Structure formats: C-alpha cells, structure tokens
Amino acid sequence: MEKQTILVTGGAGYIGSWVVKDLVEKGHTVRVSVRNKSNEEKYKHILDLGNNNLGSVELFEADLTKENSFDTAAAGCDSIIHMASPFILSDEKPQENLVDPALNGTKYVLSAATKSGTVKKIVLTSSVAAVHGDTIDMQEQGLSEFTEEQWNTTSTLDHQPYSFSKVLAEKEAWKISKRQTNWNLVVVNPSFVMGPSLAKISNSGSIDFMNDMLSGKFKTGAPDLNFGFVDVRDVAKAHTLALENNNAEGRHILCDRSMNVMGLAKIIEAEFPKKYKLPTMQSPKWLMTLIGPIFGVTRKFVKRNVGYKISVNASKSKNDLGLTYTPIEKSIKDMVDWMG
Ligand code: NDP
C-alpha cells in the first residue's frame, strides 16, 4: 500500500493507540483526533510513536458532539479509521453520553470525509454489540451462532444503551455510505477486547472490566456471563488489513474464543497463582437477580444474559482479511502483566 495520510478518530485510546502504532510503523502520516490537546500526559505515548517510527503523528482537536468538528482533520486525508465512540458500560445519561456522541459523531466524521473530496475509504469500528444484544438473543432467534448477517434488535436506550449506541452508529454509517460515491465503507465488529494498553489513560470498558476482576469485585462469585474475546493487537491489525485490502467489503466479526467470567478467572489464576482475589465459583442466577440492582445491574439484564452461551462466527475476518488470532490466554496474560 502506498504511503497515505490517515485520520484515526479516537486514535489515542486503548484500541486506537495500537492502530496508530501499526500505521506509523508502515510509514503512514497519521492524524489522531483527541478532545483536549493540552492533556499532555494522556497523549504523550501517541506523539512518541510518531517520533520513533517511519511515519509521523499529528494531533487534531475534535469532538463527536460538535458539528463540523472533524472537517479540518479530514481535509486532505486519503482514508479515515473512525473509532472514537464512548465505551462506557453503564451511564446515567445514556442519550447524552452514549447515543448522541456515537450517532451524531458518526454523521459528523462521515460528512467531513465527503466534504474533503480526498477521502476514498473509511474503516468504521463498530462492535459485536451491533450484531447481537442480550445473549439470550441467539436462542430466541433460533441460531447456533451469530454472523455478519444479524443485527442487534433488542438493545434500547434503557436496556444495554452502549450496544444501542453502536447499532445506531453503524446503521447510520451504512445509510450515509449508500448515498454517496466518494468513499467506500468497511466495518469491523470486535468482540470484547483484551490485551495490554499503550495508553496510560483510557475509559475503555475493557480496562475497567479487568480492573474489577483483579481487584476482587467478583471474588464472592462470578456471574455466568459469556462473551467472545479478541486480542487488542489483532483488532488493530484487522483495521489496517481492512484499510489495505481493496476487496474488503461489509462487516467483519472479530473473535478468538467465547467463554464466561469463570473461564477468564481460571486463565488468570493459572498464570498468576494466588496473586489476585479471583472468583472460585459461579454466582447462582437467583442470587444475581436478587442483588443485581444493588450493583446497578437490572433484573432484565440478569434474566436475559446470565446463563446463556454465545457464539459468533469470525471466519470472514480470517478468509477475507487474512487475520490470524492470538490465543486469548496470551492476551489475558499480557494484559494482567501490563496492569501489574
Ligand atoms: P477508549 O475509551 O480507550 O477509546 C475511546 C476513544 O473515543 C477515546 O480515544 C476518546 O477520545 C474517543 N471519544 C470518546 N468520546 C468522544 C467525544 N465526545 N469526542 C471525541 N472523541 C471521543 O475505548 P476503546 O479503545 O476500547 O474503544 C474504541 C472503539 O472500539 C469504540 O468505538 C468502541 O465502541 C469500540 N469497541 C471496543 C471494544 C472493547 O472491548 N474495548 C469492543 C468492540 C468495539 P479522547 O482521547 O479524547 O478521550
């Protein structure tokens, strides 16, 4: 691939920093959008990546809640990786803090791409949360696994609002994409991302979840919640592969393996025996239904998610993008090592 000028929105975050690393190592000129350039501590690692590699990095200030905010950063770019979006698992103002930035932000970034006249390709970071909502969805839809064909139809503003924000944003991106001919859209849909972080400061739900796990939040019993997991470095690679491959099209589920919270705890315990206050047993569903609301987990969430298996089919990412997956044991070990 020829050297390009590429805007990575949210490029200083948990996943974004690995994407920027891949791109500057390949010699690209990378523009990274951040909300507040003066926060040097938060963005130093990104500037260092630019200084220590073949390519270069420039920071641009832009906000998903402000119209026209991305126009300057997108002007003159060849491609955009649109990754910025709040990944907060619970929030008291979901419309304001999740849906508006995800949905309006997508409109503003895609509009900046069209206005630029130079952008030819956009890779959007969606999520498996846009493919399915509650884990019971698989059973209710009579499926043995989810593929790129499915859309999450069960999340709403009041129930799984983060997932709802991702569905709205991805649908809007496809809608806008079909109305124009300047650029092509390719989407990646990662499962729950694990692995070390280059960013020291991030609000990513991935890091919050591992912090909860290691600090003993589940020590009295793990909820039987199942997730697909994928390594953060593989997710970054999927973005660059999607960008480079002219034949890449549509959505791409990214997942190495699915397991529940106990499965994850067992991997950590095997690598770091007796170091953390990890759960040694599963919490019964009736107990979770009873005490869930005290911890901010609704009864509806427990009813529709605890105790159900989840399976997603990631073969398109392997066949079309050529992605190979890091075993999730390594992702977890590296993440826990990084957290110390
Ligand atoms: P981070 O919180 O580390 O990254 C989110 C990024 O979004 C930050 O860089 C942040 O920028 C930016 N952002 C948030 N709100 C705004 C706003 N109002 N205006 C401008 N930028 C904003 O999380 P992740 O790296 O985990 O998530 C990155 C993307 O990947 C998200 O789209 C998320 O939905 C998606 N994803 C994540 C998964 C995971 O398990 N981690 C799984 C599937 C998808 P700033 O630097 O200014 O704070």
Side-chain angles (χ1 to χ4, degrees):
M1 183 178 162
E2 279 177 25
K3 305 279 179 284
Q4 289 200 353
T5 300
I6 303 162
L7 167 63
V8 185
T9 71
Y14 171 51
I15 304 172
S17 303
W18 285 103
V19 173
V20 172
K21 181 171 186 287
D22 280 359
L23 295 176
V24 289
E25 280 174 357
K26 291 182 174 181
H28 297 296
T29 301
V30 184
R31 298 180 179 180
V32 174
S33 79
V34 298
R35 272 173 289 182
N36 177 8
K37 254 167 64 162
S38 64
N39 191 343
E40 286 174 24
E41 198 197 342
K42 189 169 176 184
Y43 304 125
K44 183 178 176 304
H45 69 288
I46 282 295
L47 295 171
D48 288 346
L49 283 175
N51 293 334
N52 301 332
N53 284 289
L54 200 56
S56 62
V57 166
E58 197 181 345
L59 298 184
F60 284 74
E61 232 161 39
D63 195 307
L64 295 169
T65 60
K66 294 183 186 144
E67 202 166 356
N68 305 322
S69 194
F70 290 85
D71 294 2
T72 309
C77 282
D78 302 295
S79 322
I80 297 180
I81 294 180
H82 176 38
M83 177 170 293
S85 204
F87 178 27
I88 320 164
L89 292 174
S90 69
D91 195 281
E92 276 165 20
K93 292 184 186 163
Q95 181 71 44
E96 199 176 320
N97 295 336
L98 281 164
V99 170
D100 288 347
L103 180 58
N104 294 336
T106 298
K107 288 182 194 166
Y108 302 154
V109 171
L110 271 45
S111 148
T114 307
K115 280 188 251 173
S116 78
T118 54
V119 172
K120 295 280 174 276
K121 187 155 188 178
I122 298 178
V123 177
L124 173 77
T125 317
S126 184
S127 169
V128 287
V131 174
H132 68 80
D134 300 316
T135 41
I136 199 176
D137 289 1
M138 199 168 87
Q139 182 178 310
E140 285 186 344
Q141 291 176 29
L143 298 168
S144 57
E145 62 180 7
F146 287 106
T147 69
E148 287 84 0
E149 296 282 301
Q150 277 84 42
W151 283 91
N152 172 352
T153 55
T154 55
S155 297
T156 63
L157 195 58
D158 302 322
H159 178 66
Q160 305 245 51
Y162 164 71
S163 302
F164 186 55
S165 78
K166 296 304 282 182
V167 184
L168 294 181
E170 191 191 328
K171 283 199 166 164
E172 186 66 22
W174 284 117
K175 197 166 105 192
I176 297 170
S177 158
K178 289 192 175 98
R179 285 203 303 250
Q180 58 77 54
T181 52
N182 292 343
W183 42 265
N184 289 325
L185 178 68
V186 180
V187 172
V188 292
N189 304 77
S191 306
F192 204 9
V193 181
M194 294 282 119
S197 178
L198 297 170
K200 290 198 175 53
I201 303 171
S202 151
N203 293 323
S204 174
S206 294
I207 295 173
D208 288 351
F209 174 80
M210 188 55 90
N211 264 325
D212 285 348
M213 187 80 169
L214 300 183
S215 63
K217 182 166 179 183
F218 306 118
K219 74 173 189 300
T220 52
D224 184 15
L225 284 173
N226 283 267
F227 305 96
F229 290 98
V230 60
D231 189 279
V232 67
R233 294 153 292 196
D234 297 344
V235 175
K237 184 95 182 295
H239 283 80
T240 51
L241 289 169
L243 198 69
E244 285 166 358
N245 184 338
N246 289 332
N247 298 321
E249 52 77 39
R251 314 170 87 194
H252 302 83
I253 289 175
L254 307 180
C255 181
D256 174 50
R257 209 165 84 219
S258 299
M259 66 184 141
N260 65 10
V261 179
M262 253 333 275
L264 196 85
K266 281 181 185 158
I267 293 174
I268 302 172
E269 186 57 33
E271 289 288 348
F272 305 91
K274 299 202 165 53
K275 186 166 177 192
Y276 299 101
K277 294 177 201 144
L278 299 168
T280 51
M281 58 174 196
Q282 212 130 262
S283 265
K285 188 165 179 172
W286 64 264
L287 184 63
M288 292 218 50
T289 311
L290 205 66
I291 63 168
I294 301 168
F295 297 99
V297 179
T298 65
R299 295 213 160 95
K300 181 176 176 185
F301 178 85
V302 174
K303 185 170 174 213
R304 296 183 54 82
N305 290 279
V306 171
Y308 300 101
K309 294 264 176 282
I310 193 80
S311 181
V312 292
N313 184 329
S315 54
K316 188 174 177 218
S317 66
K318 297 178 198 168
N319 299 337
D320 291 12
L321 298 181
L323 189 67
T324 53
Y325 285 98
T326 305
I328 205 64
E329 284 80 2
K330 175 164 170 52
S331 324
I332 291 166
K333 179 185 180 305
D334 292 352
M335 188 173 195
V336 176
D337 266 337
W338 167 72
M339 287 183 153

